[in-house]
Amino acid sequence: MKKYYTILFLLSVQIVSFAQNAKKAFVTGSQCSILIPEGFVNTGAYAGVQNKSKTTNVMISHVKTSATNFGAAFNKDSMSAKGFELLDNKEVNIQQGKAWLVKSKNTKNQTYKHVLYFEAAPNNVVCVTGQYPEKNKDMETVVVEMLTSVFYDKDHQDNMEDFAPFFVSVPTSFMKPAKGTMGTLVYSSNGLNSGISAENSSFVITMSGLNRPVADLKSYCEDRSVKNYRIKDLNIKESRAVKYDGLEGYECVVEGTQDEKAVMIFYTYLFQDKRIFLMQGNSMKNLKDELKQFREISKTFKRKS
């Protein structure tokens, strides 16, 4: 019995320590701040924070629906069909008003999941999800405290350039940073989005995984470059081998039409083991001049150490 109470005491001390050292901060990639205890870090790869030693994470997402519609999915039957046991579903109060807190357990991998959601604005539900494994059930108090501390700020803007694993130099006179997803950099003429129009050109840099190394870079890049369902009659105009930041790759320039207007898409593919870095420039105006700009930007690509 003495050993049992000792374990409970140590667990309670650990939880108090987490709470005392928590600091309120914005979660990168979201417009929300939460209490972030010691041991948790902004991942920089998705809108969430993570404690690796405790196999615990908290993620934030925004869903375009009402709280009523969103909450309809949290019933015993629908959750059971997805492999979850519904343990609790209750209304709670947070700083910005009414919210709902749902607790469930994944019956396959024995992972606990807490979901807090509320309607931050009409048709805008903020969803905060916390997960931890059975072996770390002591994290429940910490996770719930993190979830219920959430605060939504519609005016908050992240500097996405800080949280991508690479960078490029884009002249501000040519394009401005636009909103993208975590790990992706987006620049455009209007500084708002990556959509292609006669007024708006864009340049996007992403990274993804490969199932296996690519044997024929030229064929892979050319085949991939003409697969764009939004652009019609795509044809390769130029392709050549390149090497930036020590990575071998290929550059492809393709042209097609959108709304019966000429479109140019510039691709640069760089390969590193089973990873591929992709730079894509899109334009419907001054194609020759913009192609030159896209090439100069690609040359500045650098991975962050």
Side-chain angles (χ1 to χ4, degrees):
M1 181 64 71
K2 184 177 180 181
K3 182 179 180 181
Y4 174 75
Y5 283 120
T6 300
I7 292 173
L8 285 180
F9 173 75
L10 290 174
L11 288 176
S12 64
V13 168
Q14 185 179 43
I15 291 170
V16 169
S17 176
F18 270 120
Q20 288 180 339
N21 293 313
K23 294 181 180 179
K24 198 75 174 283
F26 278 96
V27 175
T28 307
S30 78
Q31 292 179 292
C32 296
S33 59
I34 62 171
L35 281 173
I36 302 180
E38 185 178 7
F40 283 82
V41 294
N42 265 313
T43 65
Y46 60 89
V49 296
Q50 178 180 54
N51 184 319
K52 288 186 177 181
S53 66
K54 286 290 186 176
T55 325
T56 302
N57 61 67
V58 172
M59 295 174 286
I60 298 177
S61 59
H62 297 264
V63 185
K64 292 183 178 180
T65 188
S66 67
T68 300
N69 289 340
F70 187 80
F74 296 110
N75 63 77
K76 185 177 180 180
D77 292 336
S78 64
M79 294 194 72
S80 178
K82 296 175 182 177
F84 285 88
E85 177 188 359
L86 180 61
L87 301 176
D88 195 14
N89 188 347
K90 62 185 179 183
E91 185 177 311
V92 296
N93 290 316
I94 60 173
Q95 187 175 350
Q96 290 175 299
K98 182 170 63 176
W100 289 265
L101 184 62
V102 182
K103 178 183 178 182
S104 62
K105 184 178 182 180
N106 188 315
T107 55
K108 293 182 180 179
N109 62 17
Q110 303 301 302
T111 297
Y112 287 92
K113 183 176 183 179
H114 296 260
V115 176
L116 181 137
Y117 66 95
F118 66 100
E119 198 161 344
N123 206 40
N124 179 9
V125 168
V126 172
C127 175
V128 193
T129 304
Q131 296 185 95
Y132 52 87
E134 173 80 35
K135 66 178 181 179
N136 291 328
K137 284 181 64 176
D138 57 297
M139 293 300 291
E140 177 172 356
T141 301
V142 175
V143 168
V144 170
E145 183 177 359
M146 293 171 71
L147 268 58
T148 54
S149 71
V150 65
F151 186 87
Y152 169 72
D153 181 354
K154 64 180 179 62
D155 296 319
H156 175 74
Q157 294 293 328
D158 277 317
N159 181 1
M160 303 304 287
E161 294 176 335
D162 291 340
F163 299 96
F166 41 72
F167 63 88
V168 292
S169 178
V170 180
T172 54
S173 58
F174 179 55
M175 286 184 176
K176 309 174 187 66
K179 188 172 179 59
T181 57
M182 289 304 300
T184 299
L185 295 181
V186 179
Y187 299 88
S188 67
S189 304
N190 61 20
L192 299 174
N193 55 60
S194 60
I196 312 173
S197 69
E199 296 77 32
N200 191 54
S201 298
S202 62
F203 194 87
V204 181
I205 310 98
T206 62
M207 180 184 71
S208 60
L210 294 166
N211 293 327
R212 57 183 181 277
V214 176
D216 187 339
L217 300 186
K218 185 175 187 294
S219 296
Y220 175 89
C221 297
E222 289 184 347
D223 290 345
R224 182 166 172 172
S225 296
V226 293
K227 293 178 180 178
N228 190 320
Y229 70 93
R230 295 179 180 177
I231 311 299
K232 297 180 180 179
D233 307 316
L234 278 174
N235 292 293
I236 296 174
K237 296 299 181 182
E238 299 178 49
S239 63
R240 63 177 182 176
V242 295
K243 186 175 182 179
Y244 301 137
D245 195 31
L247 300 179
E248 303 284 349
Y250 237 83
E251 172 195 289
C252 292
V253 180
V254 297
E255 292 183 1
T257 59
Q258 178 176 287
D259 301 327
E260 299 183 351
K261 295 181 180 179
V263 177
M264 181 266 292
I265 305 179
F266 168 87
Y267 294 99
T268 299
Y269 304 85
L270 298 174
F271 297 87
Q272 180 184 26
D273 300 323
K274 289 188 177 181
R275 289 195 297 180
I276 179 171
F277 297 92
L278 172 62
M279 291 177 273
Q280 178 178 335
N282 311 292
S283 181
M284 295 179 71
K285 59 182 182 179
N286 304 323
L287 303 187
K288 187 175 180 179
D289 291 340
E290 301 227 331
L291 174 58
K292 183 178 179 180
Q293 289 273 22
F294 292 156
R295 279 192 169 129
E296 291 303 311
I297 294 170
S298 293
K299 292 175 183 177
T300 68
F301 173 86
K302 294 284 185 183
R303 290 161 292 170
K304 294 180 179 177
S305 55

